[in-house]
Amino acid sequence: TFIEQHPSPVRAMLIPEQSRPLTDTYLDYLVAKAGNRIPLVDIKHNAWSMLRESWTYPHDQPHLLHRLKERRSAFLFVRRRSVGDQIVSTHLAIRTGKWGGGITRQDVAQLGPIEMSISEVEREARAISRAESLIAEFIERYPRKLHLEYEDLFVDSAIRTDVWEKIAALTGIG
């Protein structure tokens, strides 16, 4: 696997001379692993900050994003209309250890209430908004993107036909 060949990718990301070739090696690895399929890299808005080189500003475009754009990658920019739902979803995932779905009503019932102060909710909402706005700014003029809202993606746990058609048109898959 990639990690076996590159056991310290986080350390390498801190050094520009190492992070740039490592980024390309990783993207090449994903393409090779995908075979005749299109690799999908799912990066949450709050994770981009982990993917930047040292000696860059928090508002600089991450190198990985730059390389993906150079490779003419397609971007699905997904955000939630309800920041409150996103905050609750994040806290449920933290408490259950289940990320990307899979949290059941039984999980929620066992957890009990999630308690947060108003100032914590406000801080988290601002952070979400700022992270989304920054990534949106980075891809604003980039042509191969699709803006989607999470609440509009699925119907009865299946991707909506109209959404799939937009994704297929953007990526060339059918």
Side-chain angles (χ1 to χ4, degrees):
T1 68
F2 183 81
I3 294 298
E4 289 168 349
Q5 295 172 357
H6 305 278
S8 299
V10 174
R11 184 174 55 212
M13 286 301 292
L14 297 174
I15 304 164
E17 295 78 23
Q18 292 179 21
S19 69
R20 293 176 182 156
L22 181 67
T23 299
D24 289 331
T25 300
Y26 180 64
L27 294 175
D28 292 343
Y29 167 81
L30 292 177
V31 169
K33 194 87 168 143
N36 63 353
R37 298 170 296 172
I38 296 174
L40 173 65
V41 181
D42 181 6
I43 303 172
K44 307 299 185 224
H45 297 292
N46 62 346
W48 281 105
S49 62
M50 298 299 297
L51 301 170
R52 59 177 78 253
E53 298 170 335
S54 60
W55 299 103
T56 59
Y57 292 101
H59 52 275
D60 287 345
Q61 177 175 265
H63 181 68
L64 176 60
L65 181 59
H66 173 75
R67 293 300 292 136
L68 287 167
K69 288 162 68 173
E70 283 186 343
R71 289 175 177 235
R72 299 204 19 82
S73 300
F75 288 89
L76 303 178
F77 183 84
V78 181
R79 65 192 303 169
R80 284 188 186 242
R81 275 192 295 273
S82 171
V83 175
D85 286 353
Q86 186 171 347
I87 292 169
V88 169
S89 176
T90 299
H91 286 270
L92 286 172
I94 290 168
R95 291 182 63 190
T96 62
K98 295 180 180 180
W99 297 88
I103 297 173
T104 65
R105 291 184 188 272
Q106 184 179 355
D107 293 330
V108 174
Q110 289 175 347
L111 291 174
I114 295 173
E115 295 183 20
M116 296 177 70
S117 70
I118 296 297
S119 62
E120 288 174 299
V121 173
E122 289 174 338
R123 186 208 61 77
E124 205 160 326
R126 275 192 309 274
I128 289 167
S129 178
R130 290 170 71 188
E132 289 175 350
S133 294
L134 187 60
I135 299 303
E137 181 183 316
F138 292 148
I139 64 171
E140 180 179 17
R141 291 185 187 91
Y142 184 73
R144 298 201 64 217
K145 67 179 178 296
L146 182 59
H147 288 268
L148 301 167
E149 292 190 341
Y150 181 82
E151 293 86 349
D152 298 333
L153 295 179
F154 305 100
V155 67
D156 297 327
S157 300
I159 192 162
R160 287 180 26 190
T161 303
D162 62 320
V163 172
W164 176 250
E165 288 170 354
K166 290 175 184 177
I167 292 170
L170 174 69
T171 61
I173 58 175

